[in-house]
Each structure stands twice: as structure tokens, then as C-alpha cells.
Amino acid sequence: MLKSDKWNKIFDQSIHDYHVLDDVDQEMKNPYSFETEKLKNLLYEKNWIDTVQWHFEDLIREPNIDPVGALKLKRRIDKSNQWRTDTVERVDDWFIEKFSNITANENATMNSESPAWVLDRMSILCLKIFHMKEETTRKEADPEHKEKCAEKLKVLLVQQTDLTRCLDELLEDVAQGIRYTKVYRQMKMYNDPKMNPVLYKSESKP
């Protein structure tokens, strides 16, 4: 069993919990305590954000969506994107603290991706797997569609195994000082009223 697979299980738990009601407006009930199980708490929250946003993206593609409703939904997606990024960075903070006593070897190599952003990809993969599985059993879907989705599901499962192993190897190498990572805050500009020209120009108008 891959060590990092325990985090896939948290993502799966969040996806299952969401789909009990399957409602983007439902309240998240995080089963993990921030005080005693901080990383689990953050990963559950991270996947919940991803799951809700997955369904936001479905809703906004409704062909006959009301333009006013679509704009409101776009604003919610923007807010969700910011929440997602902030949560990933909080996960990175957890790893920074965990490895704070590790000094990288003189010949250590830098990994281009931090552990939290690998976990971000793992969270999305769990969602892809869940929904692709649904397509393989959807009653109204024709056999050809189901067969194609089954083949795609096989690829996703291999990808999940590979990515989970890569995270295990990264964390082990960091712990041994063989590799190190840097955290670059995303610094999103479009949500910042001081950096988005549309926002700061509108504020300066009388």
C-alpha cells in the first residue's frame, strides 16, 4: 500500500459525503478536527472545494442558463478558486513545518512542485475517477460510451497510482535531504482590487 494513498481515501470520503445530497449549497461538515488532525482537516476541505467547484463547472455549461444567473455563478467560481489556492498554501505550510528541521544535502536537487500541489492534482484525480466510474454504469448511456469510459478509467487509475507513488518518493527524499522544494505563493492578481486594472480603474472613477 502506498503511504500517500491514505490521503486519497480522505479525498474519496469527501466526494462520497458531498454526493449524499449532491447540492452545491450544502454545508461542509468536516469530520476531522483542525486542532488534532490538521492535515486531514485541510485535505478534506481542499477536496470539498474541488468537488463543489466541479459541479459549479457543470452548472455554468447549462445551454439555456440565465445570463444573470451565469454571472453570479462565475463570481462563485472565482471565489472558490481563491479558496482552493489559499487552502493548498495552508497545506504547504504544514509540510514546511514538518520538514523545518531538515537540512538539504549539498548536492540536493530541487523539485519543481511542492507536496501540496501534488496533493491538489491527486484530489482532482479522485474526482475524475469517481465521475468516470459513474459514466461506466450510467443506465441511459450506450454500450460504446460505457466501453470508452471504462478504458479512460483504467488510465486514470494508473495515473493515480503513479502520482501517489511520486508523492511518496518526494516526501522520502525531502526527509533524507536528497531533494527540496520551494513554495511560491500563487499571487493571483485578478481578485486583487489593487492589481486588476478593471477593478482599480473602476474605483478611481467618480
Side-chain angles (χ1 to χ4, degrees):
M1 177 70 71
L2 297 167
K3 295 178 183 177
S4 298
D5 195 50
K6 61 188 176 183
W7 295 325
N8 284 325
K9 294 184 186 305
I10 294 173
F11 297 148
D12 288 341
Q13 180 182 3
S14 164
I15 293 167
H16 173 270
D17 291 348
Y18 171 88
H19 284 92
V20 171
L21 296 178
D22 199 5
D23 181 354
V24 294
D25 294 314
Q26 67 183 294
E27 179 185 359
M28 176 185 67
K29 296 180 180 178
N30 197 320
Y32 300 103
S33 166
F34 184 79
E35 286 72 26
T36 61
E37 299 178 288
K38 185 175 180 180
L39 182 60
K40 290 181 178 180
N41 174 280
L42 289 172
L43 294 180
Y44 186 96
E45 178 180 339
K46 167 65 176 65
N47 181 267
W48 186 274
I49 297 166
D50 294 336
T51 305
V52 172
Q53 187 158 334
W54 180 287
H55 292 84
F56 279 159
E57 297 289 357
D58 283 346
L59 291 171
I60 205 165
R61 286 165 175 77
E62 162 61 46
N64 299 315
I65 190 171
D66 170 64
V68 175
L71 179 58
K72 289 181 179 178
L73 186 52
K74 177 63 172 65
R75 296 285 188 256
R76 293 185 72 179
I77 291 172
D78 285 346
K79 186 176 180 180
S80 177
N81 267 322
Q82 188 65 58
W83 183 15
R84 166 181 168 260
T85 299
D86 292 345
T87 304
V88 172
E89 293 183 347
R90 290 163 68 202
V91 173
D92 259 333
D93 289 339
W94 187 92
F95 281 105
I96 290 170
E97 183 177 351
K98 177 178 175 61
F99 294 116
S100 60
N101 63 332
I102 302 295
T103 301
N105 299 338
E106 183 179 349
N107 297 322
T109 58
M110 186 177 75
N111 201 69
S112 64
E113 194 172 34
S114 71
W117 284 106
V118 180
L119 283 161
D120 171 70
R121 292 165 60 199
M122 287 168 59
S123 173
I124 300 299
L125 260 177
C126 285
L127 272 165
K128 290 181 178 180
I129 289 168
F130 176 88
H131 287 286
M132 196 63 73
K133 281 182 179 177
E134 282 192 326
E135 290 301 309
T136 66
T137 59
R138 185 158 57 91
K139 290 182 179 180
E140 65 272 22
D142 60 63
E144 182 181 0
H145 174 82
K146 292 180 181 179
E147 184 177 348
K148 287 182 179 179
C149 289
E151 290 301 315
K152 290 179 180 180
L153 178 58
K154 290 179 183 178
V155 175
L156 289 172
L157 290 170
V158 171
Q159 187 178 0
Q160 182 183 55
T161 299
D162 291 344
L163 186 57
T164 305
R165 180 180 293 110
C166 285
L167 180 57
D168 279 342
E169 293 172 354
L170 171 61
L171 295 177
E172 182 64 26
D173 286 353
V174 171
Q176 294 182 18
I178 299 171
R179 276 193 285 175
Y180 65 94
T181 64
K182 287 185 178 180
V183 175
Y184 302 97
R185 304 301 178 182
Q186 292 300 298
M187 296 180 253
K188 290 185 179 293
M189 300 176 69
Y190 60 80
N191 283 333
D192 190 331
K194 294 182 179 181
M195 293 190 179
N196 183 326
V198 173
L199 297 179
Y200 62 67
K201 287 178 180 178
S202 65
E203 287 184 353
S204 64
K205 291 180 180 179

